[in-house]
Amino acid sequence: MLLLICWLSMLAAGARAQEPSGDRVLAAVRDHPQADTGRVNRLLALAEREKTTKRSFAAYQEALSLARHIKYASGEAHALLGLGFYYRFRNDYARAFRYTKQAQQQFRQLGDKLSQIWCLYNLSFTVYGQGQFAQAMTYSLEGLNLAEELHSQKWLTLIHSQLGIACITVGEYAQARHYLLRGLRLAQRAGDQEGAAFCIDGLGRLAALQGKWAEALRYHDQQVVLAQAAGNQRLATLGQMRSAEMSERLGHYQQVFAVSFRTLQRLRKLDDVGNIPYMQIILARAYLHTNRPDSALVYGRASLLAGQRSGTKMVIREASDVLAQASARLGRFADAYRYQLLFTAYKDSLSNQDLRRRTAALQYNHELDKQQSQIRLLTRNQQLSRQRAEQQRLLLVGSLVALAAVAGLSVLLWRNNQEKQRTNVRLQKQKRALKATQAQLVQREKMASLGELTAGIAHEIQNPLNFVTNFSELSAELVSELADAQQQIPRDEALETELLADLKQNLYKISQHGSRAASIVKGMAEHARPFAGERQPTDLNAVAEEHLRLAYHSQRAKHKDFNVTLTTRFAKELEPIEAVPQEIGRVLLNLYANAFYAVHQKAAKMGPEYHPEVTVSTQRAGPNVELRVHDNGVGMPPEVIEKAFQPFFTTKPAGQGTGLGLSLSYDIITKGYGGTLTVESRESEYTEVVLTLPITSTSLWDKTNEAWEESAV
């Protein structure tokens, strides 16, 4: 308790001490209205001071606009990086990634390696927030290499703490502790209180994941004291929030209330929208444990709304769990049932997190193996270079000796010949070892791909099966309640009708999600089906036209009111391609179905003023033929385009798509025919898919097999 009082006092004193400094920074901006580099730098200082507030965002935006206007490249890069941090703190990872990548590119052009470490640090946390744990480690390791090159103690400490947190996520606890303790030692030797606070924060998280609540509480209390001494208010506030969470786990509810309200107020002042919902959940749990469900409902609802706005699944799951329990205690069983369904849905959605983490660990180990293999290859190349240099030195010595004596020259030539023979033998051995290493790398690449595909399959099939199980259990309970209601005298017909309606609804959902699982299995079967059939000269124009009409009539059968203008621009005298018509038709049906879905969605939004149109065109493009499918539908943002060909990725509502269509089409075109399949799109305007096929097609599988047979020989 004494430690708690001490760091609360330090928090208040630190805030009072920093206010005049913040006012001076704001005054410096106001006193310098000139549109020059000085104002850009003052705006950046103000934004950095405000961290995650709206005033910080406005300052970064103005600095970016002004820097671009006066062509101040360094100021523009720092403004972009600041916006990347701002959006990452607000859980807007797509924008955070985009701005930080732009900043990284500019800092590379400027040769600013220290700022590149900033970018890699933010990129790592950004992709970490998106669940890309292996990529997060890759960015951290790249930043660590730069920090070691620059001998930057600060960044060595911070990146060690970041690597520790990433290892915690993928379950590598021993490696996580190694990174965190190493970073802590670096910070302690340099007297870096802020760096030590980051490492201690990671050690607290590790202890919490292992169920060591008291140990985690001690770590986070130390974090608060160190962060306050270093002047990092955000890090200190996060430490207070985690201390409150550990106190709640330990049942120290009075201590939770003593800390939580001030911490929540501080988070709001910092405009830390990413952590406010977590603090509200901690308060809601504490109220629930102290038998105050009304107050638990207030904070639980606020947290749930924030989670739904940001799309944070973890917040939605925890908030709905608290709300279900609080509603049940207050006798609001309908609300409790609704919140419990929400909790179950998000629990199922997050249930595969350990599988994804294990897959990330597999990918990370695979990347390390590749890096180590590359290091071994480089070492062998260096050895060969040294051997060649030695041979040249011997040759030079032999030439000098030859000037002195013919006999000596003869001896040296003989020795040189022997050395060459031994070198050739070594080169042959190294060549065989290199081929063996390449074979191992191919096998590891296959295993990594298999792990990623397995994770996707488990995730996609588990969700509908969980829904089937849950609604089956609910249906069994409803049948029992219906039987009890029928035995009551007099019979409550209204209750029976309501129970029958609920039972019918549950059975419909069971059927719906069962069909969803069946469609996923069917899509996977098609995806795994090997390329079959005999290739023959095929008229691409005829196949394209036939399947366009087939896809349109299929869409009309589903939606009677669906109308779209079909435009075809087929190149005359287009050479036939060597292909299996059924395979090309399957690809075209997928592309047409996506185009019709896009224009149908836009028509539903815009009404009669919108005129949907799908255009299909072909042309000769060098040694290839090119087919384009263009629609004026809803379009796609850049983050969706990047994932368009990934298996199981879909933007359609649950039950309307498996996410395997474009992935299957991509494999057929690229691997089956050695062609290309690309997407160009602009959100709310258009989407165009471009398919190219060689006139004389050679399968990528054939090329791979030929290369493999050649290497085996």
Side-chain angles (χ1 to χ4, degrees):
M1 181 59 71
L2 180 59
L3 181 61
L4 174 65
I5 294 172
C6 288
W7 61 251
L8 284 174
S9 301
M10 291 177 66
L11 173 62
R16 288 193 299 270
Q18 290 175 9
E19 287 174 357
S21 176
D23 291 339
R24 286 196 297 271
V25 175
L26 181 59
V29 174
R30 291 173 178 169
D31 294 339
H32 194 94
Q34 299 91 333
D36 57 11
T37 58
R39 181 168 178 81
V40 173
N41 293 334
R42 286 169 172 80
L43 285 167
L44 291 173
L46 176 62
E48 175 63 19
R49 189 76 188 176
E50 295 292 327
K51 295 293 183 185
T52 59
T53 64
K54 293 179 180 178
R55 187 158 64 177
S56 170
F57 174 75
Y60 277 131
Q61 287 280 54
E62 183 180 350
L64 178 61
S65 177
L66 180 55
R68 285 174 171 170
H69 178 69
I70 64 176
K71 294 181 171 52
Y72 179 25
S74 177
E76 179 183 354
H78 281 94
L80 288 168
L81 178 58
L83 287 169
F85 272 86
Y86 173 86
Y87 282 116
R88 197 252 296 173
F89 286 142
R90 304 180 76 85
N91 296 338
D92 190 345
Y93 296 118
R95 292 184 182 178
F97 185 87
R98 186 167 66 253
Y99 279 111
T100 308
K101 269 292 186 182
Q102 293 176 15
Q104 183 188 31
Q105 183 178 1
Q106 293 208 17
F107 284 129
R108 281 176 177 169
Q109 294 174 353
L110 293 169
D112 188 346
K113 292 185 177 181
L114 188 63
S115 296
Q116 289 178 46
I117 302 177
W118 272 104
C119 296
L120 291 166
Y121 181 79
N122 199 48
L123 286 171
S124 179
F125 272 126
T126 299
V127 298
Y128 173 91
Q130 295 174 308
Q132 301 174 24
F133 308 118
Q135 184 60 48
M137 290 182 180
T138 301
Y139 282 133
S140 296
L141 289 171
E142 187 178 350
L144 185 62
N145 290 335
L146 279 177
E148 289 174 345
E149 179 182 342
L150 299 178
H151 304 290
S152 173
Q153 174 274 321
K154 172 187 174 182
W155 279 112
L156 286 172
T157 300
L158 289 178
I159 294 179
H160 272 93
S161 71
Q162 189 179 62
L163 282 167
I165 292 172
C167 288
I168 289 172
T169 304
V170 298
E172 296 287 339
Y173 293 155
Q175 189 66 23
R177 188 172 184 82
H178 166 75
Y179 279 126
L180 293 169
L181 289 177
R182 186 177 178 186
L184 182 59
R185 286 193 295 270
L186 288 170
Q188 289 173 339
R189 282 200 297 266
D192 180 5
Q193 294 176 317
E194 185 180 45
F198 276 107
C199 295
I200 288 174
D201 174 54
L203 290 169
R205 295 193 199 183
L206 178 59
L209 281 175
Q210 295 173 322
K212 303 174 183 178
W213 316 123
E215 180 181 341
L217 178 60
R218 289 194 297 271
Y219 277 128
H220 290 308
D221 284 344
Q222 293 176 33
Q223 170 191 347
V224 172
V225 174
L226 289 170
Q228 284 285 40
N232 191 326
Q233 295 301 320
R234 187 175 187 277
L235 183 59
T237 305
L238 292 180
Q240 295 162 16
M241 182 183 76
R242 294 194 174 106
S243 293
E245 182 181 8
M246 294 305 102
S247 297
E248 184 266 329
R249 298 285 187 185
L250 292 167
H252 302 161
Y253 303 120
Q254 293 304 319
Q255 189 170 348
V256 174
F257 293 125
V259 176
S260 296
F261 295 108
R262 292 187 182 182
T263 304
L264 186 58
Q265 182 181 7
R266 184 62 184 165
L267 288 170
R268 285 171 175 159
K269 185 176 180 181
L270 292 170
D271 198 21
D272 192 347
V273 297
N275 286 304
I276 288 174
Y278 290 103
M279 190 69 251
Q280 291 169 332
I281 289 173
I282 295 169
L283 271 170
R285 284 177 181 160
Y287 277 122
L288 193 63
H289 290 314
T290 54
N291 201 26
R292 285 180 278 182
D294 286 329
S295 298
L297 280 177
V298 172
Y299 286 99
R301 286 170 180 163
S303 178
L304 179 61
L305 289 174
Q308 289 172 333
R309 282 195 299 269
S310 65
T312 308
K313 294 181 180 180
M314 186 70 70
V315 171
I316 297 173
R317 185 189 70 177
E318 297 299 322
S320 58
D321 183 30
V322 173
L323 289 169
Q325 296 182 53
S327 299
R329 290 191 187 183
L330 292 171
R332 303 174 184 175
F333 298 110
D335 290 342
Y337 177 77
R338 179 166 53 86
Y339 288 130
Q340 184 63 30
L341 284 180
L342 185 62
F343 168 74
T344 302
Y346 278 89
K347 178 183 177 183
D348 292 338
S349 179
L350 295 170
S351 62
N352 292 318
Q353 187 171 12
D354 289 338
L355 179 60
R356 291 196 300 273
R357 289 175 177 173
R358 287 195 294 271
T359 302
L362 176 64
Q363 293 173 342
Y364 175 60
N365 291 329
H366 169 66
E367 291 296 327
L368 284 181
D369 287 342
K370 287 204 299 186
Q371 291 180 4
Q372 291 170 359
S373 298
Q374 291 173 356
I375 291 172
R376 288 194 294 270
L377 290 174
L378 289 173
T379 302
R380 290 172 183 166
N381 289 335
Q382 291 174 354
Q383 291 173 350
L384 287 173
S385 297
R386 286 195 295 268
Q387 290 171 0
R388 290 171 181 170
E390 179 67 14
Q391 291 175 4
Q392 292 175 357
R393 188 184 68 82
L394 290 174
L395 182 60
L396 178 61
V397 171
S399 299
L400 294 174
V401 173
L403 296 175
V406 175
L409 176 61
S410 301
V411 173
L412 286 174
L413 288 174
W414 178 82
R415 290 179 59 187
N416 187 45
N417 182 55
Q418 294 296 315
E419 182 67 20
K420 285 183 178 180
Q421 291 179 1
R422 288 193 294 270
T423 301
N424 288 333
V425 171
R426 287 195 295 269
L427 287 172
Q428 290 297 325
K429 290 181 179 179
Q430 290 172 354
K431 184 177 180 181
R432 289 193 294 271
L434 177 60
K435 289 182 178 179
T437 302
Q438 290 173 338
Q440 293 175 1
L441 289 175
V442 169
Q443 183 63 24
R444 288 172 182 166
E445 192 72 32
K446 290 180 180 178
M447 293 302 297
S449 299
L450 178 60
E452 181 179 1
L453 180 60
T454 302
I457 293 172
H459 174 71
E460 288 298 323
I461 294 183
Q462 188 63 40
N463 282 339
L465 292 181
N466 284 337
F467 275 106
V468 170
T469 301
N470 293 337
F471 283 111
S472 297
E473 293 173 355
L474 290 174
S475 298
E477 293 175 4
L478 288 173
V479 170
S480 177
E481 292 179 18
L482 180 60
D484 293 339
Q486 289 177 342
Q487 294 177 4
Q488 292 179 2
I489 301 175
R491 293 173 61 175
D492 189 348
E493 295 182 356
L495 177 59
E496 292 179 10
T497 302
E498 181 181 355
L499 291 173
L500 284 170
D502 291 343
L503 183 59
K504 181 178 180 181
Q505 179 67 17
N506 285 352
L507 291 175
Y508 171 76
K509 290 181 178 178
I510 289 172
S511 175
Q512 182 184 22
H513 289 288
S515 299
R516 168 68 174 165
S519 67
I520 292 171
V521 172
K522 180 180 178 183
M524 287 188 298
E526 291 181 353
H527 202 283
R529 184 180 303 160
F531 303 130
E534 183 177 356
R535 296 187 182 184
Q536 59 189 29
T538 301
D539 185 350
L540 184 61
N541 290 341
V543 174
E545 172 121 8
E546 177 186 355
H547 287 84
L548 178 62
R549 305 302 171 188
L550 180 62
Y552 178 70
H553 291 307
S554 175
Q555 187 73 9
R556 287 275 297 173
K558 295 178 184 177
H559 306 284
K560 301 297 183 183
D561 59 341
F562 177 76
N563 288 294
V564 61
T565 301
L566 300 179
T567 304
T568 56
R569 300 190 183 99
F570 295 140
K572 296 181 179 179
E573 299 179 356
L574 192 66
E575 293 91 336
I577 60 172
E578 291 293 325
V580 180
Q582 293 82 358
E583 288 181 348
I584 302 301
R586 189 193 309 180
V587 172
L588 293 175
L589 284 177
N590 284 328
L591 302 185
Y592 294 153
N594 288 339
F596 289 149
Y597 179 85
V599 297
H600 187 258
Q601 291 296 106
K602 190 169 182 179
K605 292 180 181 178
M606 299 187 62
E609 64 181 11
Y610 167 66
H611 300 288
E613 182 178 2
V614 173
T615 303
V616 182
S617 61
T618 60
Q619 64 179 9
R620 175 73 182 266
N624 303 318
V625 293
E626 183 181 273
L627 182 143
R628 293 176 179 264
V629 180
H630 183 283
D631 67 76
N632 62 344
V634 293
M636 294 182 287
E639 57 269 22
V640 172
I641 296 175
E642 292 178 358
K643 302 177 182 178
F645 299 119
Q646 293 181 5
F648 303 110
F649 176 79
T650 180
T651 58
K652 297 179 181 179
Q656 295 189 23
T658 63
L660 291 171
L662 279 179
S663 173
L664 173 63
S665 301
Y666 184 85
D667 285 350
I668 290 175
I669 297 302
T670 60
K671 297 179 181 178
Y673 292 90
T676 63
L677 188 64
T678 58
V679 176
E680 301 173 6
S681 183
R682 184 173 298 171
E683 195 171 8
S684 303
E685 293 186 19
Y686 76 93
T687 296
E688 186 173 80
V689 182
V690 183
L691 183 154
T692 65
L693 289 169
I695 295 175
T696 302
S697 178
T698 301
S699 169
L700 184 60
W701 301 119
D702 296 337
K703 293 179 181 178
T704 304
N705 290 334
E706 290 171 4
W708 178 253
E709 290 169 2
E710 181 181 350
S711 65
V713 173

